[in-house]
Amino acid sequence: MAIERTFSMIKPDATKRNLTGKITAHLEEAGLRVVASKRVHMSLRDAQAFYAEHSERPFFGELTEFMSSGPTVVQVLEGENAIAKNREVMGATNPAEADAGTIRKEYALSLGENSVHGSDAPETAAREIAFWFAERDIAG
Ligand code: RTP
Ligand code: MG
């Protein structure tokens, strides 16, 4: 398996509770390397553009308002099988269904306030990385 990059976000519910270090430690312990990272307070417009694929879903308003409600840490992760590995470490979208030891089981508050985001496929990873970072911001 080749080295792959994925995009990760530590969501406002987690930055608010000062969990950036603990969540990043989970990612690093799984063998993922943080090759870019910054803290941003996204505008509602940023959130709507970032989550455009969900624009027709009933939770779009709630999701974009939450994501622009406070600071987020956006990151690029690198490693073998990084997309799938990150999704595994994150756990199920709904923390009530997440496996023991996953980030969402440990820290998420609800289906909406679920502490982290991770890209779900190579195409989305490329788009989401490019949304927040220039290539020169990434040091592998
Ligand atoms: P993510 O994109 O955040 O990594 O999570 P995911 O792939 O597991 O979930 P996705 O279906 O892409 O949904 C994106 C985010 O929207 C919120 N959500 N709310 N109220 C609802 O029914 C609902 N469903 C999803 C979650 O915060 C989810 O992470
Ligand atoms: Mg998703």
Side-chain angles (χ1 to χ4, degrees):
M1 179 76 202
I3 296 292
E4 192 174 66
R5 280 180 182 170
T6 191
F7 176 76
S8 165
M9 291 195 290
I10 301 174
K11 296 186 178 183
D13 67 282
T15 58
K16 194 174 179 178
R17 287 174 290 146
N18 222 11
L19 293 171
T20 299
K22 284 187 173 137
I23 289 175
T24 303
H26 272 261
L27 303 173
E28 291 182 337
E29 278 158 22
L32 294 162
R33 182 175 297 274
V34 181
V35 296
S37 184
K38 65 183 171 187
R39 188 168 167 111
V40 298
H41 188 148
M42 68 179 82
S43 63
L44 180 61
R45 198 174 280 250
D46 280 336
Q48 289 167 339
F50 181 80
Y51 280 112
E53 66 186 283
H54 292 319
S55 62
E56 302 303 317
R57 309 278 284 275
F59 58 83
F60 185 66
E62 188 189 321
L63 172 63
T64 53
E65 275 166 34
F66 166 59
M67 291 303 294
S68 56
S69 70
T72 291
V73 177
V74 293
Q75 298 177 316
V76 180
L77 308 178
E78 194 174 85
E80 267 187 37
N81 217 3
I83 296 169
K85 189 175 283 180
N86 183 38
R87 303 271 305 175
E88 207 178 292
V89 180
M90 285 171 20
T93 310
N94 185 343
E97 292 160 15
D99 288 338
T102 62
I103 293 170
R104 283 167 168 164
K105 182 67 179 186
E106 220 154 304
Y107 302 119
L109 301 174
S110 64
L111 175 57
E113 298 192 321
N114 62 357
S115 303
V116 282
H117 160 85
S119 308
D120 57 13
E123 303 71 38
T124 44
R127 174 191 169 269
E128 292 173 359
I129 289 169
F131 189 95
W132 291 108
F133 294 100
E135 193 56 40
R136 69 174 178 278
D137 297 329
I138 306 171

